[in-house]
Amino acid sequence: MPGVDWYYDACKTCNKKVKTVYVVSDPVDASDKVEPKQIIRCPNDACNKRSVSTIPRFKIPLRLQDNTGVASLTVFDREARKMLKKCARELLDSFLEDGLSMIPPELTHLVGKKYAFKIDITDYNITNNYNTFTIKKFTDDYSIISKLESKFEVGQVDLS
């Protein structure tokens, strides 16, 4: 679904993001009627040797702010499933039924919540000055968050 950036269609075999391409072939009969055919392509050539099946996977962009600054993070499927207690297919199906907004309520309910994150900062982030990081683990455990806040002297931020 164009314009929706909280999930992507992944190859069921390798989990890589797939692309939908349209191929126009020569007409089979004399009607000169040409119809485009939709084909799903995986970046993994081994998967393209057979029919590619897809499954929606989470890729949720987050923008976090506290008194120390702003961070851009991405929550991928494994951690998003734990956080939302739903898979991307369930969320997408209910989202398509609702059709009222671009963001499912389960995602908007994350606004104002407190989590502690373990993030992955790769060589790619450093060498390319790419400041969006991947969440490896998260917790909403109050005792862990409190210990981290006291250790790093984190204050409360006005949510906007």
Side-chain angles (χ1 to χ4, degrees):
M1 176 178 232
V4 178
D5 62 357
W6 53 266
Y7 83 96
Y8 66 99
D9 287 321
C11 173
K12 276 188 176 180
T13 304
C14 69
N15 286 322
K16 293 191 184 288
K17 184 177 181 176
V18 299
K19 289 184 180 180
T20 303
V21 294
Y22 294 91
V23 178
V24 178
S25 55
D26 291 330
V28 187
D29 56 20
S31 70
D32 285 337
K33 187 175 182 182
V34 177
E35 292 195 26
K37 180 180 177 185
Q38 178 179 315
I39 297 175
I40 307 296
R41 292 264 184 227
C42 179
N44 184 344
D45 289 334
C47 296
N48 290 321
K49 291 179 181 174
R50 57 189 176 282
S51 179
V52 177
S53 297
T54 65
I55 186 167
R57 299 270 186 216
F58 285 115
K59 183 182 177 186
I60 305 169
L62 298 178
R63 190 160 169 88
L64 308 176
Q65 181 177 348
D66 68 11
N67 64 338
T68 63
V70 177
S72 295
L73 306 175
T74 302
V75 186
F76 284 99
D77 200 64
R78 182 182 307 134
E79 293 305 309
R81 288 169 70 113
K82 291 176 193 174
M83 187 180 284
L84 300 169
K85 298 179 179 36
K86 287 187 176 183
C87 67
R89 166 58 56 205
E90 291 173 288
L91 210 61
L92 184 60
D93 288 345
S94 65
F95 171 73
L96 292 174
E97 281 178 22
D98 174 26
L100 298 176
S101 67
M102 290 301 289
I103 302 172
E106 290 87 346
L107 296 180
T108 58
H109 288 127
L110 296 175
V111 174
K113 301 270 171 116
K114 270 192 180 182
Y115 291 98
F117 298 106
K118 178 180 179 181
I119 61 172
D120 187 25
I121 301 173
T122 64
D123 288 338
Y124 180 85
N125 292 109
I126 296 166
T127 57
N128 295 293
N129 198 24
Y130 186 70
N131 295 319
T132 300
F133 309 103
T134 300
I135 294 174
K136 288 300 198 181
K137 291 186 178 189
F138 79 96
T139 185
D140 59 356
D141 183 306
Y142 178 76
S143 64
I144 293 172
I145 293 170
S146 294
K147 286 178 187 174
L148 288 170
E149 285 178 331
S150 64
K151 182 177 180 177
F152 295 106
E153 299 178 15
V154 176
Q156 185 65 32
V157 171
D158 180 36
L159 300 172
S160 57

